[in-house]
Amino acid sequence: MSATITSIGIYHPEKEIYNSYFESFIDTSDTWIRERTGIERRFYTAPNEYTSDMCVKATLNLSKEYNKDLHDIDYIIVATSTPDQPMPSVASQVQSRLNIPHAGAIDISSACAGFVNGIILAKGLIASGTHKKILVIGADVLSKVTDFTDRTTCILFGDGAGAVIVEKADNNSLFNTITGTNGDYGKDLYLAHQNAPISNSEVIANNKLHQNGRVVYKWAVQTLTGGLHELARKNNVTLEDIDYFIPHSANYRLLEAIFKELDIPMEKCLDSVRLFGNTSAASIPLAWYSAIKDGKLKLGDKIMLVGFGGGFTYAGIYIKNNIV
Ligand code: UT7
């Protein structure tokens, strides 16, 4: 059974936060942030605005822009590390608020790899013949779990959501995938609300995001460099054949290191980090949508999506772009 992605929509909150905002309360500068991360701006949700609100708005934007009926969606997958609450799922809230009558609904937790894992799961459900039209959303409200006393993390994150519809199709455009995890690194990037140790290490359970940035950076460069080669090999293509890459947008400098290692020009790397910050599960759809609006992405373009992050875990997929 073949599957394709037929539409995309995004949402970002109204409040724009520029780098100068941080200069008043931590020892940092616009120059440091731009040079080390590429980030110029990010968006923060209002106090009463949560992940489910952004998911609903991204999906309504998708429906409006691509004239998509939401009524016959039969499964909803929301990738997020920042659900409104552990239960009910964000996906259930989306079902209710969009009046989708006959849909299964789950949230998945694989941090910045969540959106790609959502697409991989949707592809599998369609391939198995059990589902036909699946809403996949990546959304996070990282500003609500940011430790604003920690200058090494607080400057990085932003809020946003991106939604796609994965549908049964005559011609397949979702191809082979890669996935992998090294849970030993759990303690190097976490968000804990209980005192349970992670990988046998004690954690600070204050519901704030903690990151050992240098460890993630090194792992990400090594893993993505090898991962993209593996993804190409599994799809019988070369990296030169690929029109655009959409990696998780954690840090522009980190992406430059990966693409330099792979000898791929940065023009082929679509990012959202410079204008949205690191938005975790939302970063890939934000970059994808922006590239469509900028007129960069064309119908049939060969693209590779690769998410990576907390776990540590990663997921990638080779796609022929079917949305403009
Ligand atoms: O999305 C999930 C996956 N996450 C990632 O992929 C994140 C990967 N890691 C990173 O993006 C980078 O490691 C960071 C942006 C987090 C940090 O950049 P870095 O170049 O690795 O800096 P560093 O941690 O090696 O720190 C260098 C210096 C330190 O000062 P000293 O010890 O050399 O005196 C830090 O204290 O920069 C200092 N520093 C800052 N200075 C000004 C750290 N944060 C800041 C800051 N402003 N905001």
Side-chain angles (χ1 to χ4, degrees):
M1 204 83 70
S2 301
T4 193
I5 295 177
T6 56
S7 46
I8 186 165
I10 64 154
Y11 171 79
H12 62 76
E14 278 175 23
K15 192 173 178 187
E16 292 177 287
I17 303 287
Y18 289 91
N19 295 340
S20 53
Y21 166 77
F22 300 95
E23 291 172 352
S24 65
F25 61 91
I26 52 166
D27 182 12
T28 193
S29 65
D30 176 46
T31 310
W32 191 96
I33 298 171
R34 279 174 193 259
E35 283 179 3
R36 296 292 183 121
T37 71
I39 298 169
E40 295 167 25
R41 182 191 66 181
R42 71 289 284 144
F43 294 89
Y44 284 179
T45 41
N48 62 349
E49 189 177 27
Y50 296 95
T51 297
S52 62
D53 301 310
M54 296 198 299
C55 289
V56 166
K57 285 177 180 159
T59 308
L60 288 173
N61 287 340
L62 170 155
S63 171
K64 199 170 153 198
E65 279 194 46
Y66 289 85
N67 197 21
K68 278 279 163 191
D69 183 9
L70 303 176
H71 187 256
D72 55 347
I73 284 170
D74 52 19
Y75 212 78
I76 303 166
I77 299 173
V78 174
T80 186
S81 304
T82 50
D84 304 13
Q85 56 273 314
M87 185 175 67
S89 65
V90 175
S92 306
Q93 295 304 292
V94 171
Q95 179 276 326
S96 162
R97 288 164 62 182
L98 293 176
N99 294 314
I100 300 172
H102 304 294
I106 52 165
D107 288 0
I108 58 170
S109 167
S110 59
C112 313
F115 179 73
V116 177
N117 272 314
I119 290 176
I120 291 174
L121 293 175
K123 171 185 185 275
L125 287 171
I126 289 171
S128 74
T130 59
H131 294 79
K132 293 191 176 70
K133 188 170 175 181
I134 302 178
L135 176 63
V136 178
I137 310 173
D140 272 301
V141 283
L142 296 170
S143 69
K144 295 199 190 319
V145 294
T146 293
D147 177 355
F148 284 97
T149 64
D150 176 6
R151 69 173 181 167
T152 69
T153 58
C154 74
I155 47 105
L156 297 171
F157 300 111
D159 302 339
V164 293
I165 290 180
V166 185
E167 292 188 63
K168 182 172 174 284
D170 292 335
N171 295 315
N172 190 41
S173 63
L174 302 182
F175 301 104
N176 290 328
T177 62
I178 50 163
T179 53
T181 303
N182 190 333
D184 294 346
Y185 287 110
K187 63 188 184 312
D188 292 304
L189 178 50
Y190 66 88
L191 173 58
H193 64 278
Q194 295 189 59
N195 282 313
I198 299 173
S199 310
N200 294 321
S201 302
E202 294 303 317
V203 297
I204 305 164
N206 62 356
N207 222 354
K208 300 287 177 208
L209 201 144
H210 299 269
Q211 173 173 265
N212 189 344
R214 287 232 61 87
V215 174
V216 191
Y217 192 101
K218 273 191 192 161
W219 174 86
V221 173
Q222 203 176 15
T223 306
L224 277 250
T225 307
L228 282 168
H229 276 303
E230 190 193 347
L231 189 55
R233 190 181 49 74
K234 284 180 86 172
N235 284 286
N236 293 317
V237 294
T238 66
L239 292 177
E240 290 76 45
D241 292 336
I242 303 305
D243 296 301
Y244 289 103
F245 298 84
I246 317 183
H248 164 52
S249 267
N251 174 338
Y252 197 72
R253 196 166 58 91
L254 187 159
L255 299 181
E256 284 179 323
I258 294 166
F259 282 78
K260 187 168 178 231
E261 191 70 28
L262 291 169
D263 202 17
I264 299 170
M266 280 312 277
E267 292 70 44
K268 285 194 171 193
C269 172
L270 304 177
D271 83 287
S272 57
V273 71
R274 288 175 290 178
L275 295 179
F276 295 90
N278 178 344
T279 52
S280 193
S283 87
I284 289 177
L286 286 173
W288 194 349
Y289 179 90
S290 304
I292 291 169
K293 290 297 133 188
D294 291 349
K296 274 189 192 163
L297 265 176
K298 309 273 180 304
L299 216 54
D301 273 353
K302 297 172 194 145
I303 58 177
M304 283 183 171
L305 316 183
V306 199
F308 62 89
F312 297 164
T313 191
Y314 65 91
I317 186 166
Y318 172 50
I319 290 179
K320 276 215 181 106
N321 183 48
N322 202 19
I323 36 179
V324 282

